[in-house]
Amino acid sequence: MSAILELDDITRTFGDVVVTRVLHGISLEIHEGDFCSLMGPSGSGKSTLLNIMGLLDQPTTGRVSVSGVETTRMSDRERTRVRGETIGFIFQFHHLLPAFTALENIVLPSWLATGRRDAETERHALELLDRVGLASRRDTPVRSLSGGQQQRIAVARALARRPAIVLADEPTGNLDTGSADQVFQLLRDIHRELGTAFVIVTHDPGLAARCDRALRIVDGRMVD
Amino acid sequence: MMPAELVVALRLLREGRSQTLLIFSGAALGVAVVLFLTALLAGLEASLVDRTLSTQAHVVIEGRRDVPSTVRPDDGVVLSRHVDPGFVRPVLLRDVEPLVRRLDARPDVRAASPVAATSAFAMRGGLREPILLQGVESERHELVVRFEERLVDGRVDLTGDQALIGAGLAESLGVGVGDTLRVVGPVGADGVFRVVGVARFGVAAADDAWVFVSVRRAQSLGGLGDNTTRVDVLLREPGLAGAVAASLRRDVDADVSSWQERNPELLSAIRAQASSGIVINAFVALAVALGIASVLVVSVVQRRGEIGVLRATGTRRSTVMRIFLWQGALVGLVGSVVGVALGAVLVQVFVQVVRDETGAPLFAVTVTPQQALAASLLATVTGLLAAWVPARSASRLNPVDAIKGGS
């Protein structure tokens, strides 16, 4: 299977005077159809790693390739395009736009990126809405939805532009156990149906055990 | 279809509720104040100019007034002028017919009226008042002075021995329509006129001293021969008087002056008024800009998470920037619509409430479409500029930091 995401000898340091090295030469590949957990203690660098994988942050040294294309020397505009077309995000806090309806929140990223609101995008968004079980709430402003429902809308939004990989930073960390389980099961189902690769940051060993592949990071280094 | 950025901007504004209401009100008030002030100053200026021009021609052509002077022989610099403080003889403007024909032919001239003017005394019973006796052709001079509008009694007819006099003079001599008046010219010639009209010109100097008679009679009383002393020129566009005067100066051997040159203090008053208006408008715009900017800055901080996710999901910096610029422009635009209406109401209230002692409005104040458009444009540009800083900071938010901020 070909690598969607390839990290080669990534380091990341913060600060100019007091230099903190968060990542120490990390190399890893995520392949099509992978369903990985990323675990590690607090401060181990997992969020930093996820941000670099998602082209949200730039490594201090090393290379990040998306579908074989090196991205670290791209302009911000170009990286934004690659990110939008290839990578979906789910965050602990959904950060939906409260003034918009469920459907609009799903369509908006594509609409803002392409300037078009076409029938195909809309149809796909409705499918996703149906897939996350909220078809009946398409025109409800997201502020009137429950936390679990909002996170499911965020899942649909992450999938709206048909990404090859979805990066999820503690997607269930803010939910009660029941909703958390629902959302996690949703991710598994989508993986099975669409073949989208997932990297899920979690603190929950139970959830990690339900993933196909476990990535562990300790003190900025990958451990097996 | 509306651009996505505009839709998002509109929703964010709607979402802002009380904040949005506050900045819209601020912008609307700003527009209203700017519009009101602009209309007021324009009305005041128009009224000042109108009052001045009601008794003055736009351009006056007079005989050259050669004043004896001491001139430095080597470079011609005037060292001093000797002005006779006593009686100043009328300066003649010769060969006026061809000049008037040329003026009549000019497309920018509405009317040209030759005037034979001389100082004189008017007498009635034991009373004696200094006057300015002006011989005019009433049809031509009507356009310059608008006798018909200013007539308080009688009619305009300057044929034969008939005269039209200022209302102040009529009062001080105790004469009215139908009475006679004796006029003594500067060289001792005298004549008797019958008052057929009394007019109020609105300027004390004119009301107290002006007497209009036929050209012929003024010439003989003033000892002017068959000459006149000046030509009053009325233009189609009063604002162009300076340019017309300059072009006439090349054309005729006479002193030519525009109304602006004859009223320098009026012009500097108008200029001072205009510049204080600009300063006030600028400060109003600045206050509105700061209000819009501060509300948008807060909105950017409040929406860090959403902005971060939009950036993460492939929204470009420039798109984020446009979302916030649109908000500024919308505040300006909507503020303009409300503000123009409010400004028009303010003007109406001013016109209704502020009256002179006779109960008439002080001067006409109207909001022109140009003023409304200018105020709206100012508000929209102000909104855009005010949104610039928050828009930039929104577009430069690091998605990672923005998302980490939580909600």
Side-chain angles (χ1 to χ4, degrees):
Chain A
M1 286 227 192
S2 60
I4 301 165
L5 203 58
E6 197 177 343
L7 271 59
D8 182 20
D9 199 19
I10 297 296
T11 66
R12 179 70 168 101
T13 56
F14 289 98
D16 296 322
V17 184
V18 181
V19 177
T20 313
R21 175 161 293 203
V22 177
L23 299 179
H24 303 264
I26 286 183
S27 299
L28 67 86
E29 290 185 2
I30 307 292
H31 296 275
E32 259 176 48
D34 273 358
F35 197 87
C36 318
S37 64
L38 175 59
M39 290 190 71
S42 288
S44 58
K46 54 186 188 306
S47 284
T48 305
L49 179 62
L50 198 76
N51 290 333
I52 287 173
M53 289 165 83
L55 311 185
L56 291 174
D57 193 10
Q58 286 275 80
T60 307
T61 63
R63 294 147 50 92
V64 180
S65 302
V66 175
S67 305
V69 181
E70 219 282 300
T71 63
T72 42
R73 295 215 186 87
M74 285 179 172
S75 67
D76 179 76
R77 190 186 172 88
E78 189 62 7
R79 250 196 322 277
T80 302
R81 187 185 61 75
V82 172
R83 183 168 65 230
E85 289 173 357
T86 325
I87 307 171
F89 291 90
I90 305 167
F91 301 98
Q92 181 176 359
F93 300 99
H94 55 78
H95 291 307
L96 297 170
L97 288 132
F100 288 78
T101 66
L103 179 64
E104 285 167 336
N105 263 283
I106 299 169
V107 174
L108 202 57
S110 144
W111 191 13
L112 281 170
T114 63
R116 288 190 314 272
R117 187 174 175 174
D118 53 79
E120 160 57 19
T121 316
E122 201 103 345
R123 196 189 52 72
H124 182 54
L126 282 170
E127 267 174 28
L128 289 167
L129 207 49
D130 188 36
R131 184 66 204 78
V132 301
L134 291 168
S136 62
R137 300 307 192 92
R138 52 173 285 181
D139 296 323
T140 308
V142 292
R143 75 160 79 80
S144 340
L145 299 177
S146 73
Q149 288 173 327
Q150 287 177 337
Q151 194 62 311
R152 274 143 68 195
I153 300 293
V155 171
R157 176 179 62 189
L159 296 166
R161 298 189 70 193
R162 304 175 195 277
I165 180 169
V166 170
L167 304 178
D169 194 355
E170 302 200 44
T172 61
N174 206 30
L175 301 175
D176 61 76
T177 327
S179 303
D181 191 61
Q182 259 188 351
V183 168
F184 187 82
Q185 195 52 48
L186 181 64
L187 300 184
R188 279 252 59 150
D189 294 347
I190 287 163
H191 168 254
R192 196 182 60 240
E193 291 159 26
L194 304 177
T196 313
F198 278 84
V199 175
I200 301 167
V201 172
T202 180
H203 276 115
D204 182 345
L207 288 185
R210 289 161 71 185
C211 296
D212 303 337
R213 182 180 163 197
L215 300 170
R216 278 191 65 81
I217 183 169
V218 175
D219 293 337
R221 292 187 173 82
M222 300 306 292
V223 292
D224 291 324
Chain B
M1 195 173 64
M2 271 197 274
E5 296 97 328
L6 176 55
V7 173
V8 176
L10 277 168
R11 291 291 183 86
L12 291 183
L13 283 175
R14 210 174 67 184
E15 177 78 1
R17 287 165 195 280
S18 55
Q19 280 175 4
T20 304
L21 201 66
L22 280 176
I23 38 173
F24 275 142
S25 312
L29 270 179
V31 170
V33 168
V34 166
L35 189 62
F36 174 67
L37 196 70
T38 310
L40 201 67
L41 290 182
L44 188 56
E45 180 185 331
S47 133
L48 281 175
V49 169
D50 193 57
R51 229 166 259 196
T52 303
L53 292 185
S54 67
T55 53
Q56 287 192 16
H58 298 156
V59 174
V60 174
I61 305 170
E62 293 168 291
R64 278 214 193 283
R65 204 173 283 274
D66 292 319
V67 181
S69 39
T70 311
V71 175
R72 200 154 67 197
D74 41 340
D75 54 7
V77 169
V78 176
L79 297 174
S80 71
R81 286 183 190 280
H82 310 286
V83 180
D84 178 4
F87 183 73
V88 178
R89 295 187 67 81
V91 182
L92 303 182
L93 182 64
R94 296 169 201 282
D95 289 330
V96 81
E97 285 86 4
L99 173 61
V100 169
R101 271 200 301 279
R102 284 210 302 283
L103 288 168
D104 283 343
R106 284 179 71 118
D108 47 3
V109 170
R110 248 185 86 203
S113 173
V115 181
T118 175
S119 48
F121 287 102
M123 282 175 262
R124 164 91 182 171
L127 299 169
R128 180 182 137 112
E129 291 286 338
I131 60 164
L132 181 66
L133 186 71
Q134 304 185 69
V136 297
E137 298 167 34
S138 54
E139 302 79 37
R140 278 183 179 271
H141 215 62
E142 168 68 35
L143 291 166
V144 179
V145 172
R146 305 204 296 273
F147 291 124
E148 294 290 352
E149 275 175 38
R150 302 174 190 286
L151 216 52
V152 289
D153 195 15
R155 61 202 157 83
V156 186
D157 183 358
L158 306 181
T159 53
D161 286 334
Q162 307 186 105
L164 182 148
I165 68 173
L169 183 66
E171 247 166 64
S172 53
L173 289 178
V175 296
V177 170
D179 295 335
T180 56
L181 196 67
R182 187 161 158 254
V183 174
V184 180
V187 286
D190 71 339
V192 174
F193 293 92
R194 194 155 55 85
V195 176
V196 294
V198 176
R200 191 177 296 282
F201 300 101
V203 175
D207 286 337
D208 293 348
W210 282 8
V211 173
F212 287 97
V213 296
S214 69
V215 174
R216 196 60 262 146
R217 297 285 281 138
Q219 281 169 339
S220 67
L221 277 171
L224 306 174
D226 40 8
N227 297 301
T228 57
T229 55
R230 64 170 209 262
V231 176
D232 283 354
V233 183
L234 191 77
L235 302 178
R236 295 193 189 283
E237 192 48 70
L240 298 179
V244 173
S247 95
L248 285 173
R249 237 168 246 137
R250 289 190 293 273
D251 195 40
V252 298
D253 179 33
D255 283 340
V256 182
S257 57
S258 65
W259 66 269
Q260 292 98 327
E261 288 161 335
R262 273 174 285 123
N263 300 278
E265 66 295 327
L266 172 72
L267 230 60
S268 61
I270 288 174
R271 264 194 216 113
Q273 202 183 60
S275 43
S276 57
I278 288 171
V279 169
I280 295 173
N281 283 351
F283 276 104
V284 170
L286 188 66
V288 170
L290 291 176
I292 294 176
S294 63
V295 168
L296 287 180
V297 163
V298 170
S299 152
V300 169
V301 172
Q302 285 172 336
R303 301 176 198 287
R304 284 167 59 88
E306 286 111 291
I307 295 165
V309 171
L310 284 178
R311 291 277 293 122
T313 52
T315 305
R316 288 186 291 273
R317 284 183 198 282
S318 55
T319 306
V320 172
M321 180 123 186
R322 277 199 295 276
I323 289 174
F324 282 86
L325 288 179
W326 266 120
Q327 291 186 60
L330 283 169
V331 169
L333 271 174
V334 176
S336 298
V337 174
V338 180
V340 164
L342 195 63
V345 170
L346 274 180
V347 165
Q348 277 312 307
V349 169
F350 178 84
V351 171
Q352 294 302 321
V353 170
V354 183
R355 298 282 172 123
D356 65 11
E357 60 275 14
T358 69
L362 286 186
F363 49 85
V365 188
T366 45
V367 176
T368 66
Q370 287 92 329
Q371 289 164 355
L373 202 68
S376 306
L377 201 68
L378 176 70
T380 308
V381 170
T382 301
L384 267 177
L385 289 179
W388 187 265
V389 172
R392 234 169 93 97
S393 76
S395 75
R396 293 189 165 191
L397 274 183
N398 179 348
V400 175
D401 298 339
I403 294 160
K404 240 190 278 175
S407 62

